[in-house]
Amino acid sequence: MGNLPYHEQVDIKNIQKLRDMIKSLPLFCPEFFRGIEPRTSSRTRIAYAYDLGVFFDFLKKENPVFAKLDNSQITLEHLDQLTVTDLEEYMEYLKYRFNEKNQEVTNKERGIMRKISSLKSLYNYFYRSEKLKNNPAALVQLPKLHEKDIIRLDVDEVALLLDEVESGDKLTKQQKSFHEKTKVRDLAILTLLLGTGIRVSECVGLNISDIDFKNGGIRIHRKGGKEVTVYFGDEVEQALKAYLDERGHIIPETGHEEALFLSMQKKRIAVRSVENLVKKYAKVVTPLKKITPHKLRSTYGTTLYRETGDIYLVADVLGHSDVNTTKKHYAALEDERRRSARNKVTLREK
């Protein structure tokens, strides 16, 4: 499997994980997952499997009809008997519950919406195939979503962040002991994320052969496996070349020879590791902002939009399939641009 592209390796692992998860769900669920497979990613299906597991756990805990049933005994006939009220009780349950490890779990409106959407997909699938007579999920109203402020780095904060990666001045003593060994790699990763807006999964999936310095581009695999080229500027090029000089002296573990970014264990760096290093540096630069790799992506999108004013270009570069997604994220900047245009048109010469 080590010879396969990174995104295919991840997909195989996800499919194996999904198969294990489906075993604990009711016996009609495999049909549902086979049915949605052509139009969903393996990661999406894993999310569905987790959400449905929460739903059936709720039924056994809170509904006397299901209390003595194993998941293997729950049938579509049971689902047909549920009402809108049952599903509204489920929404209430999701706000505050205990998981199988007896740990407290809370869901805000977005978490509740996702779990209800997963349930709607299940009901819709079997209702369309006429294996369910009723579809109460279609009548359930999703919670109203409140728009979240987009957290991003200001221009001066970007410079401070990269300076901190280079110097490590504000890191703890323990962090500084590792900093000397990883700062060139860390600077290349953060410069790449800030300079291209790629997703963290796309970053860790890069191979050395994906970099094209002649044309200033990197080949990445978007969601769904689509292969595209994203272009980078001089600062990203310099950071990548500096890291590649260092990378050439490292002997990777077997199966990780092609990986661009390596961990301390000389294996392809993991998404969680990149998330942790972004958090480590950002915490000392902007302690009041919760900065993640996705926030660096938002920072890039904001900067690109301010510089170009082209929302379609931003959508294309960020890999948004629907420009409305981009517009929603940068609505405040759209309004800012509209206000700045109010005196651009002169009706009479002064």
Side-chain angles (χ1 to χ4, degrees):
M1 193 167 85
N3 295 325
L4 293 174
Y6 172 75
H7 71 282
E8 291 185 18
Q9 293 181 38
V10 170
D11 202 43
I12 289 171
K13 288 179 181 177
N14 284 345
I15 290 171
Q16 291 171 337
K17 181 178 180 180
L18 180 63
R19 286 174 179 169
D20 288 337
M21 294 176 76
I22 290 175
K23 289 176 184 176
S24 64
L25 295 176
L27 300 178
F28 53 80
C29 285
E31 180 186 343
F32 165 67
F33 284 100
R34 284 194 299 272
I36 65 172
E37 190 272 336
R39 60 183 187 279
T40 57
S41 69
S42 57
R43 187 177 173 184
T44 297
R45 295 195 298 279
I46 284 176
Y48 278 13
Y50 172 78
D51 292 345
L52 293 176
V54 172
F55 174 65
F56 292 117
D57 186 53
F58 155 77
L59 289 178
K60 289 188 291 183
K61 285 180 179 177
E62 305 294 332
N63 191 311
V65 175
F66 293 83
K68 295 182 180 180
L69 297 177
D70 293 324
N71 276 350
S72 61
Q73 297 172 303
I74 297 175
T75 65
L76 287 172
E77 286 71 26
H78 288 112
L79 286 194
D80 236 343
Q81 294 167 17
L82 295 177
T83 65
V84 173
T85 301
D86 291 315
L87 303 192
E88 288 175 343
E89 287 176 356
Y90 174 52
M91 288 176 65
E92 180 64 29
Y93 166 83
L94 288 173
K95 292 179 181 178
Y96 180 80
R97 64 187 176 86
F98 288 89
N99 63 16
E100 63 279 359
K101 297 179 181 177
N102 205 34
Q103 297 168 323
E104 290 183 17
V105 179
T106 58
N107 282 283
K108 297 288 172 42
E109 53 200 23
R110 277 179 168 75
I112 293 172
M113 184 173 182
R114 194 195 84 172
K115 288 176 174 58
I116 297 299
S117 294
S118 299
L119 190 57
K120 280 176 176 282
S121 294
L122 179 76
Y123 264 98
N124 289 341
Y125 176 80
F126 286 112
Y127 187 73
R128 282 196 303 269
S129 61
E130 299 182 342
K131 293 184 178 179
L132 284 177
K133 296 177 182 177
N134 302 304
N135 188 0
L139 303 175
V140 173
Q141 291 188 329
L142 293 172
K144 182 180 179 181
L145 291 181
H146 295 85
E147 288 301 321
K148 296 192 298 183
D149 289 335
I150 294 181
I151 299 172
R152 55 175 80 85
L153 293 171
D154 298 329
V155 175
D156 62 320
E157 291 171 335
V158 170
L160 288 171
L161 179 64
L162 296 178
D163 287 346
E164 180 59 31
V165 179
E166 284 189 312
S167 68
D169 288 341
K170 297 179 181 178
L171 299 178
T172 65
K173 188 175 180 180
Q174 184 179 13
Q175 288 171 337
K176 284 181 179 179
S177 65
F178 291 101
H179 178 253
E180 280 302 314
K181 300 173 185 175
T182 65
K183 69 177 180 180
V184 176
R185 180 204 67 187
D186 295 353
L187 185 62
I189 289 174
L190 266 76
T191 304
L192 180 63
L193 292 173
L194 283 163
T196 60
I198 62 173
R199 296 177 176 89
V200 62
S201 58
E202 295 162 352
C203 176
V204 302
L206 285 170
N207 289 336
I208 296 173
S209 58
D210 291 326
I211 305 175
D212 177 7
F213 285 115
K214 182 181 177 183
N215 296 300
I218 51 171
R219 179 178 57 209
I220 62 170
H221 290 87
R222 293 289 195 199
K223 286 182 178 179
K226 182 182 178 183
E227 187 178 285
V228 300
T229 299
V230 173
Y231 297 95
F232 54 77
D234 294 340
E235 290 176 286
V236 174
E237 180 178 344
Q238 291 169 15
L240 286 175
K241 284 184 173 179
Y243 171 66
L244 282 171
D245 286 342
E246 186 179 271
R247 170 74 172 75
H249 299 289
I250 301 173
I251 300 174
E253 289 289 320
T254 303
H256 300 267
E257 295 87 353
E258 295 298 315
L260 173 60
F261 294 115
L262 298 175
S263 66
M264 294 283 285
Q265 291 73 40
K266 301 178 182 179
K267 297 179 180 180
R268 184 185 295 275
I269 196 167
V271 168
R272 179 62 59 86
S273 298
V274 176
E275 290 172 342
N276 288 338
L277 75 88
V278 169
K279 180 181 178 181
K280 175 179 70 176
Y281 292 115
K283 195 173 182 180
V284 297
V285 174
T286 58
L288 298 182
K289 291 182 179 179
K290 188 179 179 182
I291 300 299
T292 63
H294 195 75
K295 302 299 186 293
L296 302 186
R297 182 169 154 83
S298 295
T299 300
Y300 172 80
T302 301
T303 305
L304 182 62
Y305 185 53
R306 280 203 172 112
E307 291 295 323
T308 65
D310 189 339
I311 198 72
Y312 292 94
L313 174 64
V314 176
D316 183 50
V317 173
L318 291 180
H320 290 164
S321 56
D322 184 354
V323 74
N324 288 317
T325 302
T326 320
K327 286 181 176 179
K328 182 176 68 175
H329 280 83
Y330 301 99
L333 293 179
E334 284 268 81
D335 189 56
E336 184 182 301
R337 290 186 70 247
R338 283 195 293 269
R339 284 201 308 272
S340 69
R342 68 187 187 277
N343 291 321
K344 296 295 183 185
V345 177
T346 303
L347 303 180
R348 293 189 293 178
E349 289 187 17
K350 295 180 181 178

